[in-house]
């Protein structure tokens, strides 16, 4: 239990998620990325997780960060946004590390354009959660917590 | 709050899930359907949900039950198993009711055969959770709980 | 004329049509299945047809009924709903009998999702009528009446 | 009611339908286009419709006539024949007018070559009737009559 | 040898096979399902197999029966008919049991419509026999007998 | 022999062939349509054919002319040019008549853009000749002459 | 400069554009074809172009006019409307002439149905302008003016 | 009966089957081609068949042999191995003769790479047997024996 | 008018456009990016626009800049070059802002490789201009100027 | 002229053409390959061609012969039969030589199975003639004769 | 080391490579097959390899040779030329042996026709080298030498 | 010769190659990127090449570096890793420079997932080497050395 209190998780957000709350509110809701970070950190604290929460518009930076998540982090929650559908590099980064990665999407990508129905992340992710808005991040933390508990 | 204590949810399991624990343990784990039902009911109780938990190998019965879920249930958790990939009838039943439906899969269907990558459920579901084993059902209950709380 | 007064036709309705009038009224209108049955029987009477009007959510039951329609019925009006697009079994049942089958759809399936554009019924049906709402059933009765008149 | 007695409908026939009765009788029957026109006019009279019945082998002429049908006609019955499968121009003409268009085919196009299974007319038509031979035109008149009655 | 005398095999027939002998005789021949059952049982007796011979039009029932075949049967001979081409549920049921399943088709499905060229059964079956009419069932019994002999 | 001296054939040329000799000489050569007509008539005369040689840019006019060719002509030589690849109406006109139609192309359409590799004419033509430039028309006349000789 | 004052351009409008202003105003705006012609001529005058502005619903007529544009015109502005997506004949006519052709569309065809995303005009056009409404024609004139200025 | 005692059958084996027993034993087992020949001849003798058993790596030789099988042989058992999936020439040879051909595969080709799922042999074969290893050849002999008995 | 004098527009150039003038001159011409910037600024000045002109080889930087263009800019002219065909992230950035974006390409992308025929930009752009070389940027400025004039 | 009297042409026939006259007479007619050779030689003599007429069932042999035809022959008439649709090796052999190759098919391959609609020969052949039976070879000789005459 | 001095490698060349130096020099260069053999043998000698260098136009012969290469050869260098793209038989032969096979192409097949972009050899080869002309064979020898050195 | 001693080559490594030796060792082996750099530099020295060896996870940086390689470098060895399959920008950068680029992959990409079978690099590369692990880089240096030697 003591060692879990120091468990760190990495929450990575991909392109355009910095606009959350202002961008297409019908699809993405009115919560801002700052609000989301606060929600995630608050919930993670109840699981004794500390959270490193980041956003970038750059595919290569996501690759860097996923690699970084492979060392010293208990889990990664990844909303790769648009790069979900186009990035083999992100796919390979996830496959290259042992840290479990949970794929999250705010919107239900299966209700949207066909090009959003395929994900290069899913088949290397531990699991997928989509369509629940910010709550999806909370569920992902609980899922990680459960996975780690069963390992220990 | 008092009325939520009486909120009922319907948990529907499709074909071959009655074999859970004996069927392809590498893919589906060793938890039996009875174990899963107990886990689900136990967790639901903490959210003041009562659970009606069912399994059938019959597509038409799933359609009947989803229609039934449209009246007097606060939410449906649906693991349509094989019918996920072939049933327009289930798609239409979900579209025909107002009760939110959460799609759950024990395995990560995106790691499996291509014919499991398309779901007729996803685009009419509120959200999708897959790859977490039995924990996925627990997450789905939490997701429902959160959705209902925000509506009330 | 006397023998026609005893001609029986079978009107078969597939999955989710029991929800007619409540389900997606924009697509399917506000007439209930009971209303539809009454309309059909009333019009059939003017053609001296007696009508056996049924609905099921079960693919296998539709197969049973179509086979039943192959004996002692002058014609079948079939709205297979969702099974239209997925059921080779229904296709084969129609091919296996001599009774003419008329395919009817309340909505114009060609205005809807691509997966509704293909029908396993059409190429074994005598003809297809779609997009006219309940009136389509009336037209189908008239079409049957005309077909039978030309045969006798 | 009085004004309906003067309602005019436009019946448009596409390429090669002038050969009706001589062309591939197995597929199209032995009724000539003149016979068909007589049948249609006779039946329309019982609904108090007057009929303008035309045939052309020219796609552009069909576009002209559909536009013409948009002004002063209560409905259009359109058998676009081969242009059904290739003409975006006809699709656009129908979309550009408010007059309801009913798509009719003598043969069951779904029993024929794959290139006849797609119609550029269907998704802008009010409804589709196919496979009933000349009777299909009669049914289309009845369908129009019913549609207009419900509007008035 | 004594234990083989009690070996039971399950012969399952899918939709529309109850019409055998009357349905499309050019494709399926004139042997009735009763005749086929008698042939199968008679031949099985020479291999000291007892046969449980069943037919259903219902996909879910086939799933139930295949699961049942997983317990206490030495082998399953499955002619899933139309469901061969559409049923992931049957695929999964076969994958979920250890009892060997032999896929049989009366007609040569590769001579027929393209939608009959894909089978969801084949890749989980022990082997496939098609095109030999009722004799295919006899061959399947011999194949099972040979497989079991080599195991014992 | 005497009746053959009066045999008439119809040579139909589709869109842009009026520009022959000026249009893309690399692909179509430098012979003008007038030159081609002269060549064709001169060669036809040696076979005792009289030739009706026409060109149009209009699909509907080609349909009209093919229908006309169905009455009183011994054969049709058709270079439908661009309409080869898009016209179901021309396909249907050929199918509707008994007069044999020989498809000719000046260029080798299989060396050109993929959209020129499919022809709606070929499967209703008696035969196909392409890639020989103006000589193709001469070969087509000889082919017709041979076909008619074997019939008589 | 003096010779440019006599430069003539041909502006060709395809099917249903005669309905401009009345047809689907959301997509095509409220400017009528007459208004558009006035705008075009007024702007062209500032570039010392004289404009021949035409509309037809007939594919063959567009082919005729494009050929005509190949002689004595400095440029062609072509909005082939529906024929854009289906006409190889128009493609070939443009390829057959030396006069530059600019493709214009009022609406942004890439926001519309998939069958409007492919153009048979684009790969033989000098350039493409779409989505700007009537302004697109003005831009096309400027583009032509610039192209001709650089040649001279 | 006497003439059947002299019935000859041709068993043809395609490319790489000479390596049987050494090649990928997981897929093809440990029986050598010599062992297989002995098994086949021994079983054929019980049906009073004499067997001509051959193997070649050459597509053209298979064509030659199938043509040879068309004269003086009662049946052909063909395992075309890799050529199954690529050879139209073998398809045509089978179509060109009247002798029945039974397609056999040692492995279950439907469990393997997608390019092995299509067979150019199946639609001209009398029937198909696959997945039973060497036993498949025995079943094929029995099937031939049964076919010939029913003809005589 | 005074406020328009201060209107700023953002001109964004994607990967490899820094090589303009040296890269494949047949396709892209001999104007350098510096020349282009000068042309654009000079023309913009006549419309009282000030121009921020940028180039990057980085997809993420284009996303950043498009987001930046969403605040304080009257319009964006975007030549996303290679990212046009692969970037969902750019698509999403454009959809996330209200500033109108005009898509420009120097070359006619429809004359080039098939993978350049699809654009992730087009369906979220206000309009598309391609094939006119540097002049396309000038036209885009005029188009923006016209759009803004009509709004004010 | 004198040297043309010694011009040699190579007529190559692919797999199963040795069965001509016995194989599927509905498709291929009743002329035997020997008859065809006689016809071809007789007609060639009138053009002062000597003919080397061969048949093989072997793809590699066709490649050898086409290469041989590249030296000392004035032209090749090639009916590659089944290898037409599958042989890149034959395609490459034709591309590797300078001698003109004329592709001939007895049947109209476009009326047959879809896998016969693509030819690896056509785009490297000088021209294509199909559907005229044995007459096609005669036309091919005339075509060669004309091509050679125009070169000399 | 001593045993490596006796190591033999097999260099196999497929159809039309005997024409090297004369065939399409732009694509394949001017080196003849004899020159290539000399280069290969000379370089191999520096690695103490003896080389068996062969060419055939026959698919079956390549299969024979690859099988032969499975016994007593240290490695195979295979340029299957046209059969690369069509031969499952060669694929299977490579899979059936343990000797490493290196795939070589003189030209860069990815710059050529789409049908040359898929190779049935690549996924069973140890590695692929293409586009370097004759040098590719030299590199392949070095690659083999390196592979064998690491094994020993 | 003297100038070759100063020839510089650029070796570029794409995303996740920094993890070499730790990432999926079954696929990529145990050599680290540092080891690889040492091997490459050591071998290059024997060819009198100096090597600039770089790695990045960023697509845009690869584009920058390829452009840089266009000036002052004798050749580029490019392992674009995941970007191989998705980057048109890299394709365009290679096409924009004159320096030869050799594509290298450590693993045999044709044995892996289908999305790795297509490369945007191959058709603009001088040649391709894949499947040989680190040795592939050595072969690439030799290939470059040979190419440069033949130019000088």
């Amino acid at each position: 239990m003591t060692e879990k209190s120091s468990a760190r998780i990495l929450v990575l957000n991909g392109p355009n998620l910095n606009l959350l709350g202002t961008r297409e509110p019908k699809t993405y809701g009115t919560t801002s990325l700052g609000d989301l970070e606060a929600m995630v950190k608050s919930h993670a604290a109840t699981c004794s997780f500390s959270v490193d929460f980041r956003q970038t518009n750059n595919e290569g930076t996501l690759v860097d960060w996923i690699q970084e998540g492979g060392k010293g982090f208990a889990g990664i929650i990844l909303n790769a946004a648009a790069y979900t559908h186009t990035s083999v590099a992100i796919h390979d980064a996830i496959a290259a590390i042992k840290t479990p990665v949970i794929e999250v999407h705010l919107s239900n990508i299966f209700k949207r354009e066909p090009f959003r129905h395929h994900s290069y992340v899913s088949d290397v992710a531990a699991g997928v959660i989509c369509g629940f808005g910010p709550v999806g991040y909370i569920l992902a933390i609980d899922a990680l917590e459960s996975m780690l508990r069963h390992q220990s």
Side-chain angles (χ1 to χ4, degrees), chain A residues 4 7 23 32 39 58 60 75 82 99 106 111 120 129 133 137 151:
Chain A
K4 197 166 53 180
R23 168 195 179 198
S32 74
M39 278 175 62
N58 200 301
T99 313
L106 293 164
K111 287 193 177 167
Y120 277 112
I129 294 169
Y137 286 66
Q151 286 172 7

Side-chain angles (χ1 to χ4, degrees), chain A residues 47 49 139-152:
Chain A
C47 305
F49 284 140
L139 299 175
I141 290 169
D142 290 345
L144 263 183
E145 197 272 342
S146 169
M147 289 169 71
L148 298 173
R149 195 167 4 109
H150 284 91
Q151 286 172 7
S152 62

Side-chain angles (χ1 to χ4, degrees), chain A residues 75-137:
Chain A
I76 300 175
I77 294 173
L78 174 63
N79 180 347
Y83 292 131
T84 300
H85 315 299
T86 63
S87 178
V88 174
I90 289 173
H91 171 100
D92 285 2
I94 299 172
I97 61 171
K98 296 221 172 63
T99 313
V101 174
I102 296 184
E103 179 179 6
V104 174
H105 298 285
L106 293 164
S107 66
N108 182 341
I109 57 179
F110 303 106
K111 287 193 177 167
R112 303 178 64 196
E113 304 96 319
F115 63 76
R116 292 194 211 273
H117 295 188
H118 176 263
S119 162
Y120 277 112
V121 172
S122 296
D123 73 340
V124 283
V128 181
I129 294 169
C130 83
F132 300 104
V135 170
Y137 286 66

